[in-house]
């Protein structure tokens, strides 16, 4: 008997034109290119222009994904934007993206799981598609983290950047065999005991301000490798796949040392991991679709490839999605 799966029809991305190198950051805080490169792998990040909003970044990425998918925006009946830096507290950034693309049917909403946001959004859209509630979904990760950074804190401001990525998902009937395309498994986790490891010190209900990002970097680092490794293993067990069977790993791009630690712990070959953080830093919910887009543009994604996407972020939240391209 067949099964409905969410097939990725197209991917797109957008990075603001303004590039800020490590040397540029060193003009603002007491840091240097060597320290940032050695501890994080980051060389530069993109910064949204004045007046360029998270939705603008998301719209640009979404348009590219729709063109590549060959799908008319008016056929989209679900828009989910993962973001921790929405244009406004409400309405959601998703409805602005929906409106800008001329979509008037279906539903649009935001998901807030910080760096895990894209994984949360992908898993949510997959459930809508498999249940028959939606047919074609636009899933976006878009962030303007430069706006919530404390540009006097060298421990955090060097790490993040702005950007957006998007995928178009379509519900397709598959044969329910190992050759199925689309999302094969997803697993989401959170544990609020760690809410003060990585957070923003403001919000409408607490301070009536937006606030700035605060982080206990060492703690985040330690938990990241463990949580990411655990969720990858759980997702593989759920789906019956093993590490060597994965063609490409598309991780959240936070720190190259986190990626190296994960690879070592799980025995993943370095050449199977897409790494893009050197040129855009940590773009939170945007980083996985940005990496997916780079893999697509470099022709590293072949039809039938098995890909594993994973992330961890503030909350803590973490998760993984396994899919066949
Ligand atoms: N430039 C120069 N020196 C710096 C800088 C900087 N930008 N930042 C910190 N330092 C100094 C510190 O002041 C400290 O100096 P001291 O020993 O004289 O006090 C020294 O460097 C070491 O500082 P640590 O914070 O202990 O450095 P660490 O090796 O832990 O690296 C880092 C910091 C890069 C933030 C690391 O902890 C990390 O990557 N953590 C994960 C954070 C992360 O990726 N967060 C993203 C969101 S969560 C996620 O996406 C997974």
């Amino acid at each position: 008997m067949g099964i409905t799966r969410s097939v990725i029809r197209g991917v797109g991305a957008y990075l603001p034109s303004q590039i800020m190198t490590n040397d540029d950051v060193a003009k603002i805080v007491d840091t240097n290119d060597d320290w940032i490169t050695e501890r994080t792998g980051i060389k530069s990040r993109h910064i949204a222009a004045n007046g360029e909003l998270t939705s603008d970044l998301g719209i640009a990425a979404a348009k590219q994904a729709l063109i590549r998918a060959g799908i008319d925006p008016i056929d989209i009946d679900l828009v989910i934007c993962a973001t921790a830096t929405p244009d406004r507290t409400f309405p959601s950034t998703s409805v602005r993206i929906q409106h800008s693309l001329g979509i008037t049917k279906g539903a649009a909403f935001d998901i807030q799981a910080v760096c895990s946001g894209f994984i949360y959004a992908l898993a949510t859209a997959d459930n809508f598609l498999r249940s028959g509630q939606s047919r074609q979904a636009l899933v976006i990760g878009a962030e303007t983290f430069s706006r919530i950074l404390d540009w006097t804190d060298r421990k955090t401001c060097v790490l993040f950047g702005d950007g957006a990525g998007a995928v178009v998902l379509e519900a397709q009937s598959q044969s329910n065999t190992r050759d199925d395309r689309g999302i094969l498994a997803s697993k989401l986790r959170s544990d609020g005991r760690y809410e003060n490891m990585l957070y923003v010190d403001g919000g409408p209900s607490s301070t009536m301000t937006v606030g700035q990002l605060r982080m206990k970097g060492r703690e985040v680092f330690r938990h990241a490798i463990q949580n990411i490794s655990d969720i990858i293993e759980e997702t593989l067990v759920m789906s019956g796949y093993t590490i060597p069977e994965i063609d490409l790993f598309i991780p959240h791009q936070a720190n190259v040392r986190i990626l190296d630690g994960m690879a070592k712990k799980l025995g993943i070959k370095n050449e199977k991991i897409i790494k893009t953080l050197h040129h855009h830093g940590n773009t939170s919910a945007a980083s996985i679709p940005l990496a997916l887009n780079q893999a697509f543009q470099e022709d590293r994604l072949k039809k039938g490839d098995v890909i594993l996407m994973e992330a961890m972020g503030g909350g803590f939240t973490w998760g993984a999605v396994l899919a066949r391209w």
Side-chain angles (χ1 to χ4, degrees):
M1 203 171 113
I3 189 174
T4 301
R5 292 211 189 267
S6 310
V7 173
I8 303 173
R9 286 278 310 262
V11 58
Y14 174 80
L15 287 164
S17 57
Q18 189 191 337
I19 294 172
M20 191 180 203
T21 64
N22 290 345
D23 288 339
D24 294 331
V25 183
K27 289 176 195 152
I28 301 172
V29 286
D30 181 15
T31 190
N32 55 75
D33 178 45
D34 286 347
W35 192 96
I36 302 172
T37 305
E38 189 200 315
R39 303 284 176 123
T40 72
I42 297 164
K43 299 296 285 181
S44 60
R45 67 284 297 141
H46 292 247
I47 305 291
N50 283 341
E52 193 176 31
L53 307 185
T54 294
S55 60
D56 297 321
L57 275 53
I59 290 161
K63 281 183 176 167
Q64 189 177 47
L66 285 161
I67 288 169
R68 286 178 177 162
I71 288 178
D72 193 321
I74 59 167
D75 291 327
I76 295 290
D77 55 4
L78 177 66
V79 180
I80 305 180
C81 180
T83 186
T85 46
D87 292 5
R88 297 186 285 190
T89 303
F90 77 83
S92 69
T93 301
S94 287
V95 294
R96 184 153 188 253
I97 295 174
Q98 183 196 33
H99 172 60
S100 162
L101 295 171
I103 305 166
T104 52
K105 68 177 181 185
F109 57 89
D110 288 1
I111 278 192
Q112 217 296 40
V114 208
C115 298
S116 313
F118 187 75
I119 293 291
Y120 269 62
L122 210 50
T124 304
D126 179 43
N127 279 299
F128 272 73
L129 264 56
R130 284 190 297 111
S131 72
Q133 201 166 335
S134 309
R135 292 289 308 161
Q136 285 172 322
L138 191 52
V139 181
I140 302 149
E143 303 278 18
T144 46
F145 255 55
S146 63
R147 308 245 158 88
I148 56 162
L149 295 176
D150 176 352
W151 286 99
T152 65
D153 177 13
R154 68 177 182 175
K155 290 188 174 182
T156 53
C157 73
V158 301
L159 302 174
F160 297 90
D162 303 336
V167 296
V168 177
L169 294 180
E170 184 175 65
Q172 286 187 8
S173 182
Q174 298 282 312
S175 52
N176 199 15
T177 64
R178 229 175 140 75
D179 295 332
D180 281 2
R181 293 184 66 211
I183 294 178
L184 306 174
S186 64
K187 181 118 182 116
L188 303 180
R189 285 280 289 113
S190 64
D191 190 339
R193 283 178 297 172
Y194 302 101
E195 63 167 327
N196 292 324
M197 297 286 170
L198 174 54
Y199 63 100
V200 164
D201 62 5
S205 155
S206 54
T207 59
M208 294 185 287
T209 62
V210 172
Q212 289 177 322
L213 185 146
R214 307 288 171 209
M215 180 177 70
K216 295 187 177 126
R218 289 218 157 180
E219 306 298 325
V220 175
F221 190 90
R222 195 166 54 80
H223 284 278
I225 294 178
Q226 188 63 49
N227 288 346
I228 288 165
S229 302
D230 288 350
I231 205 85
I232 289 177
E233 283 180 332
E234 287 165 32
T235 307
L236 292 177
V237 167
M238 247 171 85
S239 57
Y241 278 80
T242 59
I243 295 278
E245 289 174 304
I246 309 302
D247 296 297
L248 271 188
F249 289 83
I250 322 269
H252 167 50
Q253 310 284 319
N255 183 321
V256 79
R257 290 191 300 141
I258 294 178
L259 301 186
D260 291 346
M262 166 198 84
K264 196 170 165 209
K265 201 167 163 59
L266 296 177
I268 300 170
K269 286 189 180 143
N270 198 36
E271 60 269 23
K272 284 190 174 185
I273 304 175
I274 300 291
K275 293 177 191 168
T276 57
L277 61 96
H278 56 280
H279 73 94
H280 59 59
N282 183 345
T283 56
S284 184
S287 86
I288 291 177
L290 275 165
L292 191 65
N293 182 67
Q294 182 159 313
F296 174 78
Q297 292 193 156
E298 289 174 354
D299 211 16
R300 292 187 64 184
L301 277 167
K302 308 280 180 235
K303 196 173 173 185
D305 276 356
V306 178
I307 61 173
L308 195 136
M309 297 166 268
E310 56 75 9
M312 189 193 103
F316 291 139
T317 55
W318 63 105
V321 171
L322 183 77
R324 190 184 290 280
W325 190 253

